Amino acid sequence: MDRSSTQGQADPVEQPARVVILTAGAFTVTVNPVDGSEIVSTHRPGGEPAHTPAKRTPAARTSRAAAARPPVPPGAPAGARPLRGREEERERLVRLLARGRSVRLTGPPGSGRTALLDAVADACADMAPDGVVRLCAYGYQQPSELLRALYATVYEAPAERPDRAELLARVGEIGAVVLIDDLDMGGTALDELLRATPECAYLLAATPDTRAPSDESHLEEVFLGGLARADCVALLESGAGRALTDEETAWAGDLRFASEGLPLRFVQAAALLRQRDELNRTDAEDEGEDPGVFEERPRDTVFVPLPTLAEGAAPAELLASRVSESARAALRIACALGGELPHHAHLPALVGDTHADMAVAELLDCGLLSPVGTRYRLAAGVARQLEEIGYGDTAAEEARTAARHYAWWTGHTSVTPERVAAEADAVLAALAGADVVASVLLARTAAPAFAASLYWEAWERVLRSGAEAARKAGEVAEQAYFHHELGVLALCEGRVDRARAELEASIGLRGALADKRGTVAGRRALALVTDREAAEVQVSPPLRLAPPAASPAPAGGVARSAGSGPLTAAALGVAPVPGASGVPGAPLVPGAGGTPSAPGASGTPGVPPVAGARGAVGALGAAGTPLAPGAPGAPGAPGAPSGPGGPGTAAVPGAPVTPVTPAAPVTPATLGKALAALPAVAPVPERAAAGASGPGTTVLPAVAPAGSVAPATLAEVFEEAFPLSTEPAPAPKALPQPKPKGPGRKPLLLAAAGALTVVVLGTVVALAVTTEDKTPQPARPPGVSTAPTSEEAQTPPSTPAPSGSYPSPEPEASAPTTQAPGTTPTPRKSSTPKPTPTPQTSSPANPPPPPVSSSAPPASSSPPPASPSPSPSVSSPPSATPTGPVVPPDTTVGGTGETAP
């Protein structure tokens, strides 16, 4: 609207934001589109349980089922297509569902699964107490999403989202025939769905690519194939509205073979025949008249032939070329949104044509659209065929336009959250294809609507896409909002760790922006996270080490734990002497404290303690083996209990025995002596008399210090293991110092090798110098130049003498010059009296170079610097400037060694 047209009018009043209060488990969420959602704990006075929602009445279920179907497009509605060739499958499915069995209907895309589900739903309307529930599982990946959709369909709970425990309890009470179309899950996920609703019978429609159910699901399998030839011809005739010709019948047979009898291909083929009839239509009455100005019939009628078999198998291109321009624009929008077609009410704004809403009926009649839940999508295979002919070239622009339009529409207060939830797939597709600026704007306005509609799966996807787009666009405030909403969502779903991470990120971003209201809201939600974490942590009781009970003696010995009491005959597994009277429960080891003795201590005379046994345990040997006579503690030994038979004899059953007190306390020294004095093995007289036979028992004497008490707590155990007052550790013993070793052989060998190397190198150098001095200069022909050596070329120039009475040495060459190959280098005067030998050539057959005349100019003997080979030169007499220019080299005359002036 032009701004000038609004001058003189009052500014429109800004409508209040849409605020919705929801109940999510134990929390109350206030969805605020401005500052972000606020979450508090639900207060129920007196701890009363949550209100249980009531189930919908049959009338309410009927109205909701009508609202869940796709909207009827404006214009002439297409008539209901008859169900051809599916009577047998329909009767079988109804029969299985009536017996309470769950069925999985498998068919390829375009096989008519949705039409068959509609026919089964009409036949099973009064079969279950909760009626028939139609659900669309397109895009659902988790069974919890389907369970919540089932709960919202059966129960009347508009602003409540129960937690998982409450959800499972309520859906377990539902008894209905559930028809789920476009199922995309199987295996354990499908098993979870079936276990949660044991009172429901399912009819699951899926494609062959869907994951197969597990063996524990016990689902009946029904496969949906193609139609027969007669059914294909009948479907084609009903779609075309006339009988087929012989040519068209043959074409229909070929098409059935190419498309495997899929009903969708014959619906599209019927549309091709109708378009062909429209193009070939002739009016006999108007053959002689010219068409008027407003007539659309062309003047020259061109006969349109029957479509080819390839065009019939992939008819999207031919069908799209014969529809209106608004319909083609709608197809471009659907290709840009991943196959999702917006509601027909949005098409005039998206296309720019006021009559664009009529395109939905046109496309649906051509078979290019298929109903999916409450919306329409491109039919199977249509999107791929349209993208191949260029309908996806403008996808980015179409997605940006759709995102900006949905950003305005979802933020309008007159739009209910339920309407936004019905367009969730188109909104998410526009969000994924738009640029970052449009994505942030759309996510900011659509997120509160999805939260208020309880479609929290779409809410989470929008929040994550918006947070990523805000990060790329640099919108810190919007990024903080998305993180706050993600934290609230995670807290409502019980993901405490995720909620803490998101809320801390939001608080940090809002603190950087100095947003006090947002920071306070985030800290309140974070306090709930802390409370939830504290409630979930179970405080464990303090650890106390109680004395363990004495375990039964094993076959091979005595099992006894620390702190289990004194060592008695019962603890050792030795039967007490019948009729012996002694100290009840007296320990065998004097001074050992602990618990009372084992059975036989009270009411039964115990085993008399060992007297004078040097602190031994009575020298008990293996079972059934008597003690050796004369051994300490053996019968008849000194200090042993005496019976009526005389000293040193064992007690007779039934005879009184006088108890004897221990003679001396047990010490490690006495214990060692007693154990050393014991014989190998001796049988026990009582066991030998009773004739008991069994495996030998080895008795291990246990010694505990007098007055010791077993630790009862963990602190005492650690105090014994790690005492607070540490004793000084003994001084470490001085380690013996290693004896100094003499010089090894390796250093001596290395020194000798070095000396030998020096001697050899010196000898070689000396021989080389001597040979060089004694080598005679070979005779050279006259006029041959002498080539300088490399040492002479690298010798730095000498400084001239200050006096003229002494001859100054000639300076060396300042820099080598290049020389062309094949020329003779000019000699130079050497500073040494000895002649410089001429290097020998590799081949003696080479002829000597021609002589050089002394009258030749210097330039003739010095080639241009273009050659890569260096050319030595003789420097000029020294001058006052040490770094003077290079002069031409001198030339040797004849071979006399004199230089030319």
Side-chain angles (χ1 to χ4, degrees), residues 16 111 225 246 248 366 374 386 398 418 456 489 529 559-560 569 584 607 682 726 732 762 786 827 872:
S111 58
D246 296 340
E248 293 173 345
C366 292
T374 60
L386 293 178
E398 299 292 348
E418 288 73 19
W456 284 9
L489 174 61
V529 173
R560 184 174 179 269
V607 177
T726 58
T786 303

Side-chain angles (χ1 to χ4, degrees), residues 846-885:
N846 294 336
V852 182
S853 175
S854 61
S855 63
S860 63
S861 61
S862 177
S867 175
S869 61
S871 176
S873 61
V874 180
S875 62
S876 61
S879 59
T881 305
T883 58

Side-chain angles (χ1 to χ4, degrees), residues 757-822:
T757 304
V758 171
V759 171
V760 171
L761 291 178
T763 304
V764 172
V765 172
L767 292 176
V769 172
T770 305
T771 305
E772 182 179 1
D773 293 340
K774 293 181 179 182
T775 303
Q777 182 178 2
R780 294 173 298 181
V784 178
S785 301
T786 303
T789 61
S790 60
E791 290 82 6
E792 295 175 352
Q794 297 177 359
T795 305
S798 61
T799 307
S803 174
S805 58
Y806 297 96
S808 58
E810 292 293 335
E812 299 296 335
S814 59
T817 59
T818 58
Q819 180 179 359

Side-chain angles (χ1 to χ4, degrees), residues 267 617 720 780 840 881:
V267 172
V617 195
E720 292 181 2
R780 294 173 298 181
Q840 300 296 331
T881 305

Side-chain angles (χ1 to χ4, degrees), residues 265-569:
R265 294 292 177 262
F266 287 91
V267 172
Q268 297 170 348
L272 289 176
L273 293 181
R274 290 197 305 269
Q275 292 176 352
R276 175 173 174 267
D277 293 342
E278 290 290 335
L279 295 175
N280 293 332
R281 182 181 57 189
T282 55
D283 191 358
E285 298 180 357
D286 299 336
E287 287 182 359
E289 299 179 1
D290 293 336
V293 179
F294 299 101
E295 290 187 12
E296 297 181 0
R297 182 169 56 88
R299 295 177 179 271
D300 298 332
T301 303
V302 179
F303 178 77
V304 179
L306 197 66
T308 62
L309 187 60
E311 293 175 342
E317 178 181 0
L318 187 58
L319 289 174
S321 63
R322 296 176 179 177
V323 297
S324 62
E325 184 61 31
S326 299
R328 287 194 291 269
L331 291 177
R332 293 189 183 93
I333 295 174
C335 290
L337 299 182
E340 294 287 341
L341 185 67
H343 194 272
H344 60 81
H346 301 286
L347 291 180
L350 294 174
V351 175
D353 185 6
T354 55
H355 300 286
D357 54 351
M358 306 287 295
V360 178
E362 185 178 1
L363 296 176
L364 188 62
D365 193 32
C366 292
L368 297 178
L369 298 180
S370 295
V372 178
T374 60
R375 62 196 186 279
Y376 293 102
R377 283 182 54 87
L378 293 179
V382 173
R384 177 181 53 82
Q385 299 173 25
L386 293 178
E387 289 175 357
E388 290 177 355
I389 60 177
Y391 273 75
D393 297 342
T394 60
E397 184 64 26
E398 299 292 348
R400 185 183 305 109
T401 303
R404 295 185 179 276
H405 169 74
Y406 278 125
W408 164 82
W409 179 71
T410 55
H412 203 277
T413 56
S414 62
V415 180
T416 61
E418 288 73 19
R419 292 182 59 188
V420 178
E423 290 285 319
D425 293 276
V427 171
L428 292 174
L431 184 64
D435 57 290
V436 292
V437 177
S439 297
V440 171
L441 183 61
L442 176 57
R444 187 65 174 81
T445 56
F450 286 135
S453 64
L454 296 177
Y455 191 7
W456 284 9
E457 288 78 15
W459 184 28
E460 183 175 4
R461 293 176 59 185
V462 165
L463 291 176
R464 295 197 181 280
S465 300
E468 182 65 18
R471 185 188 62 82
K472 293 180 179 179
E475 298 288 344
V476 181
E478 305 300 337
Q479 188 178 0
Y481 167 80
F482 292 131
H483 282 296
H484 175 82
E485 296 295 295
L486 284 171
V488 172
L489 174 61
L491 180 59
C492 292
E493 293 182 347
R495 298 176 293 170
V496 182
D497 295 338
R498 187 67 183 179
R500 174 175 289 277
E502 297 289 352
L503 290 174
E504 287 178 350
S506 174
I507 292 172
L509 294 174
R510 285 177 169 176
L513 296 174
D515 185 3
K516 295 183 178 180
R517 296 183 58 182
T519 303
V520 169
R523 289 178 177 175
R524 288 177 179 175
L526 191 60
L528 292 178
V529 173
T530 305
D531 296 342
R532 176 59 65 90
E533 290 176 345
E536 291 181 355
V537 175
Q538 299 180 358
V539 180
S540 59
L543 178 64
R544 296 186 62 86
L545 297 179
S551 57
V558 178
R560 184 174 179 269
S561 59
S564 59
L567 201 62
T568 61

Side-chain angles (χ1 to χ4, degrees), residues 638-707:
S642 301
T649 59
V652 180
V657 179
T658 304
V660 181
T661 57
V666 178
T667 60
T670 58
L671 180 60
K673 293 179 181 179
L675 294 177
L678 291 177
V681 175
V684 180
E686 291 79 0
R687 288 182 174 268
S693 62
T697 303
T698 302
V699 179
L700 180 63
V703 179

